[in-house]
Amino acid sequence: MNPQFETMPVSIFEEMSLAATRHGAVNLGQGFPDFGWPDPLIDEAARLLREGSNQYPPSRGLPVLREALADFYAERQSLALAPEQFVVTSGATEAIAAVLLAAIEPGDGAIVIAPAYDAYAPLIRRAGGDVQEVVLRPPSWRIDKALLAGAVTAATRLLVVNNPHNPTGRVLDAAELQAVVEIAREHDLLVVSDEVWEEVLAPGARFTSLAFLAPERTIKIGSAGKIFSLTGWKVGWAAAPEGLSGIIARAHQYLTFATPPHLQAAVAEGLRHPEWLHAPREGFARARQRLADGLESNGFALLPSEGTYFQCIDLAASGISLDDRAFADLAVVEAGVAVIPLSPFTEGVPERGLVRLCFAKHDATIDAGIAALARARDLARAR
Ligand code: GLN
């Protein structure tokens, strides 16, 4: 096997979902909602499967979707993006891959902010780049300008930002966004801004796109899977400054070439109906509260979560002395609940006392998960 494959381990999401299936555990690990989606989107996709084209769409994406994206972001985030600036991809992960393949030359440095989504580093390396990791610390997980500045070298070409942030659930504040923009401008860096969680915000949380603050250098990544709770559809996109979007489109040609046309057209229809997002938003808010209340009344200590459908638990403060990995293994094998340990998201010196839960679930799933976590904690204490 090519030794470079050592840098592409089995993802922690795949590992924990397979373990959940094997042990019949409740799956609060890999992030996907189990409480439905806007039904008209499904009807539209089904209709198009029968009546529409089942052949290759344009590689860059259906014009109807790129127009709907431009209008959606103009309306919701005041972004001045033209339809031509979008490249539709098979999921946000493919968008990230296409962007990194387009932007990185061998030897370029790419800053990632850890804990970092697990796809960034392996993809940067396969594109020939060097990962320059900046490690944030809980409970604040704040990005600080000096910390970022310390990671920049003459080789640095781009900075990957994820906001709202997976796995911590943080939404960057104005000062942190400003720090990112200043560092990027001072060193002429591209900003790859993974904003797939932009529509999954806790009540009261405020999100600002880096594409609004630094449109000249930001490549924004988005996901219909996250916006419409259809993670299996794998419809995502990148929106880039003019000259760059054509290069990303070329990289995308040689990855998946195109994305299923019916799904693209149905997503375009969904983007024209932001009111379809109200019910899921209320569902997320209720589920967020139910999980937090249930865990807290069982003595678990939680970190703040303002965005994403994730909630982190502080193990030590919850009276658990196992590290994240040992606790996650015990929880899925012996107590019947899958969670995601946070240490795989940092390559340097990771925090080992936090696990992430996905709360985008039916009440019964959440309640079963809480009961199983309490069992896992009792088992951990008995060791
Ligand atoms: N985004 C999902 C999560 O954070 C995982 C997606 C995947 O497994 N590729 O849980």
Side-chain angles (χ1 to χ4, degrees), residues 309-328:
Y309 31 68
F310 303 123
Q311 170 67 62
C312 290
I313 295 180
D314 181 335
L315 295 178
S318 306
I320 297 163
S321 54
L322 295 180
D323 72 23
D324 59 344
R325 190 71 226 209
F327 181 76

Side-chain angles (χ1 to χ4, degrees), residues 352-373:
R352 296 197 181 274
L354 303 168
V355 296
R356 187 197 84 175
L357 312 179
C358 173
F359 58 71
K361 306 290 175 188
H362 282 117
D363 289 355
T365 317
I366 292 177
D367 295 350
I370 294 167
L373 280 163

Side-chain angles (χ1 to χ4, degrees), residues 16-17 19-28 331-333 335-339 372:
M16 294 316 292
S17 279
T21 305
R22 193 162 53 243
H23 298 287
V26 176
N27 193 352
L28 300 187
V332 71
V333 175
V337 60
V339 302

Side-chain angles (χ1 to χ4, degrees), residues 252-268:
H252 159 69
Q253 288 180 112
Y254 299 116
L255 284 167
T256 59
F257 185 75
T259 298
H262 347 81
L263 303 185
Q264 292 192 51
V267 167

Side-chain angles (χ1 to χ4, degrees), residues 131-363:
V131 175
Q132 300 175 315
E133 186 180 61
V134 169
V135 182
L136 306 181
R137 294 295 169 199
S140 74
W141 304 112
R142 277 184 64 79
I143 294 180
D144 160 65
K145 188 171 174 192
L147 201 62
L148 282 184
V152 178
T153 66
T156 307
R157 162 107 175 106
L158 62 86
L159 174 66
V160 184
V161 179
N162 176 207
N163 182 40
H165 186 261
N166 179 11
T168 66
R170 279 213 63 225
V171 178
L172 299 187
D173 66 27
E176 294 173 287
L177 292 168
Q178 194 54 37
V180 169
V181 171
E182 282 173 20
I183 289 289
R185 289 203 170 124
E186 283 162 23
H187 300 276
D188 195 21
L189 308 180
L190 286 174
V191 178
V192 180
S193 194
D194 175 352
E195 301 182 350
V196 297
W197 301 102
E198 59 202 344
E199 291 287 338
V200 190
L201 298 170
R206 276 186 58 84
F207 163 79
T208 306
S209 175
L210 278 161
F212 179 76
L213 299 172
E216 81 287 359
R217 62 187 62 251
T218 298
I219 303 168
K220 175 182 173 73
I221 309 290
S223 160
K226 301 298 189 292
I227 295 177
F228 297 110
S229 298
L230 293 163
T231 59
W233 276 27
K234 300 298 293 177
V235 177
W237 47 83
E242 234 164 282
L244 258 175
S245 58
I247 306 174
I248 296 167
R250 288 202 231 168
H252 159 69
Q253 288 180 112
Y254 299 116
L255 284 167
T256 59
F257 185 75
T259 298
H262 347 81
L263 303 185
Q264 292 192 51
V267 167
E269 181 69 9
L271 293 168
R272 300 274 179 211
H273 292 275
E275 72 279 6
W276 293 351
L277 299 174
H278 294 166
R281 184 157 310 126
E282 280 162 24
F284 288 135
R286 268 200 310 278
R288 183 184 289 276
Q289 199 61 47
R290 188 177 188 93
L291 181 76
D293 291 349
L295 288 173
E296 277 173 348
S297 64
N298 274 281
F300 284 96
L302 309 183
L303 273 71
S305 168
E306 311 165 271
T308 74
Y309 31 68
F310 303 123
Q311 170 67 62
C312 290
I313 295 180
D314 181 335
L315 295 178
S318 306
I320 297 163
S321 54
L322 295 180
D323 72 23
D324 59 344
R325 190 71 226 209
F327 181 76
D329 289 343
L330 177 149
V332 71
V333 175
E334 295 180 48
V337 60
V339 302
I340 299 288
L342 253 69
S343 54
F345 298 91
T346 303
E347 296 192 338
V349 182
E351 295 295 327
R352 296 197 181 274
L354 303 168
V355 296
R356 187 197 84 175
L357 312 179
C358 173
F359 58 71
K361 306 290 175 188
H362 282 117
D363 289 355

